[in-house]
Amino acid sequence: MKDKKPNIIWILVDSVRIYHTDADERGRLDAMDEFAKDAVDFRTAITSAPSTVMSVSAMMTGIPAPFHSRDYDSYKYEYENIKSLPSILRNKGYKTYGILFWPDGRNFLGTMFGDTCNDIWENLYDKNEYWDNDKPLDIFDRFLDSDKIDDQFFVWLHLNCRGDIDISDKVKVLIQKLKDRGLYDDTLIIMNSDHGYPDPNRGISFYDKRKYGHDLIMSDDNILAPQLIKFPDISPRRIDEPISTLDWFPTILNYLGFEDENDLDKYPIHGRNLMNIINGTESWTPKVERIDNR
């Protein structure tokens, strides 16, 4: 990795399955297939938890969700005890931002991500409402137009596939804007989902889905999720071997040269650095991947 660290843009589209489907709007996005031409595309990625707050907090720290909370409602991020990717980046000089579509995300995860760009949207949108994707995308556009991009930055953009049949096209437009602004090639860009979603073709009844919520259904359509990362200086490739979303934390730290901040060995279960696998200098070795539900 070069001395100059890249800006980081993380685009998470909530509840997208690993595969394409016409059953509903939750299949793998065509935009992900286009992005894969420039990215490392992990095709068997296992979520750490099929619940958004649990999954994202685990993804940002490399440790399973129960270290943060036993379930969604008891989520508590121990800032003084647990390192997160945004907190490490802030200590290394990055400005970190979170743009999230739903109020619980802004309440539970906002502090971890840092600045939630309130100065851009507080007079436009209600913080207590669920936003359709046009609102966070508008905030992201305003972010790009602001002086916030003059600093080295990490920005988390959390979108939602639910009920939006145009989400793939919207992500394509977003990527084109980054290219038009000259922000694409030299930026570390992640495009992924936090978990999948039970496929209606599987025959899960409406009653069971309402009874358990998608959070408790541990089937492949729910626990596998698309995971793609574009490095400024690494060729695209497809990796079919299983990985965990816990692996993002140590992998990105290693790529940035911040591996000295990785203290995961003190935890009995944690993510692993995939850079040697990505670079092709090490063959994949199987291991048990942990998944927790609430």
Side-chain angles (χ1 to χ4, degrees):
M1 182 58 204
K2 300 174 183 177
D3 290 339
K4 187 180 186 312
K5 310 302 182 188
N7 291 320
I8 303 170
I9 296 175
W10 198 311
I11 305 162
L12 187 142
V13 186
D14 205 290
S15 304
V16 173
R17 298 186 195 96
I18 199 83
Y19 54 86
H20 290 279
T21 177
D22 295 327
D24 54 22
E25 74 280 14
R26 298 174 186 266
R28 178 181 169 100
L29 308 183
D30 290 340
M32 291 174 171
D33 290 340
E34 289 194 13
F35 184 66
K37 297 173 183 176
D38 299 324
V40 179
D41 183 5
F42 296 98
R43 298 305 294 260
T44 313
I46 303 162
T47 186
S48 56
S51 176
T52 299
V53 169
M54 295 172 70
S55 172
V56 171
S57 60
M59 194 185 304
M60 290 294 101
T61 58
I63 55 177
F67 285 100
H68 307 279
S69 61
R70 69 182 182 189
D71 57 32
Y72 186 95
D73 294 326
S74 67
Y75 173 77
K76 181 181 180 183
Y77 179 63
E78 299 287 352
Y79 296 96
E80 68 277 9
N81 297 324
I82 299 176
K83 291 183 179 180
S84 71
L85 180 62
S87 68
I88 291 170
L89 292 176
R90 285 194 292 273
N91 289 336
K92 297 293 186 178
Y94 279 78
K95 300 291 181 62
T96 66
Y97 305 92
I99 303 171
L100 304 102
F101 75 88
W102 87 115
D104 278 355
R106 295 189 286 273
N107 291 334
F108 290 154
L109 301 173
T111 307
M112 179 173 68
F113 286 120
D115 185 347
T116 53
C117 301
N118 292 29
D119 56 319
I120 291 177
W121 61 262
E122 63 183 349
N123 294 321
L124 298 172
Y125 307 124
D126 187 338
K127 67 178 181 179
N128 297 311
E129 289 184 351
Y130 276 81
W131 297 340
D132 60 36
N133 288 318
D134 292 338
K135 292 180 176 64
L137 286 168
D138 173 58
I139 295 167
F140 185 74
D141 284 347
R142 293 169 183 271
F143 170 85
L144 296 179
D145 288 334
S146 74
D147 58 6
K148 296 180 187 293
I149 65 168
D150 295 337
D151 299 310
Q152 194 168 46
F153 65 82
F154 163 96
V155 59
W156 172 273
L157 176 61
H158 199 129
L159 303 174
N160 184 16
C161 76
R162 298 170 179 84
D164 191 344
I165 60 173
D166 297 320
I167 182 59
S168 183
D169 289 338
K170 291 174 181 178
V171 172
K172 288 180 184 179
V173 169
L174 166 61
I175 293 296
Q176 188 59 51
K177 287 179 180 178
L178 297 178
K179 292 178 178 179
D180 293 343
R181 291 170 176 266
L183 290 172
Y184 185 78
D185 291 339
D186 296 328
T187 300
L188 180 64
I189 302 176
I190 299 96
M191 185 185 297
N192 74 334
S193 190
D194 48 343
H195 52 76
Y197 200 80
D199 193 321
N201 290 328
R202 185 177 288 275
I204 299 173
S205 70
F206 175 81
Y207 171 78
D208 282 345
K209 199 178 294 185
R210 293 291 295 175
K211 178 181 177 182
Y212 298 115
H214 73 83
D215 312 67
L216 300 183
I217 298 173
M218 305 288 271
S219 52
D220 283 355
D221 44 4
N222 199 25
I223 66 172
L224 299 178
Q227 309 289 319
L228 304 97
I229 182 168
K230 183 193 75 66
F231 299 95
D233 52 2
I234 295 178
S235 299
R237 61 176 300 198
R238 171 173 169 158
I239 296 177
D240 291 308
E241 291 80 8
I243 62 111
S244 169
T245 55
L246 296 175
D247 299 336
W248 281 118
F249 177 82
T251 299
I252 293 173
L253 287 182
N254 182 269
Y255 175 76
L256 295 173
F258 298 156
E259 58 267 26
D260 58 314
E261 298 288 343
N262 182 352
D263 62 353
L264 294 180
D265 287 342
K266 69 183 183 182
Y267 298 97
I269 300 173
H270 56 77
R272 61 174 166 174
N273 170 27
L274 301 176
M275 281 311 306
N276 288 337
I277 297 171
I278 291 169
N279 287 322
T281 58
E282 179 183 309
S283 58
W284 176 86
T285 54
K287 74 181 185 74
V288 174
E289 304 292 2
R290 174 171 172 152
I291 311 164
D292 293 276
N293 67 22
R294 57 173 174 163

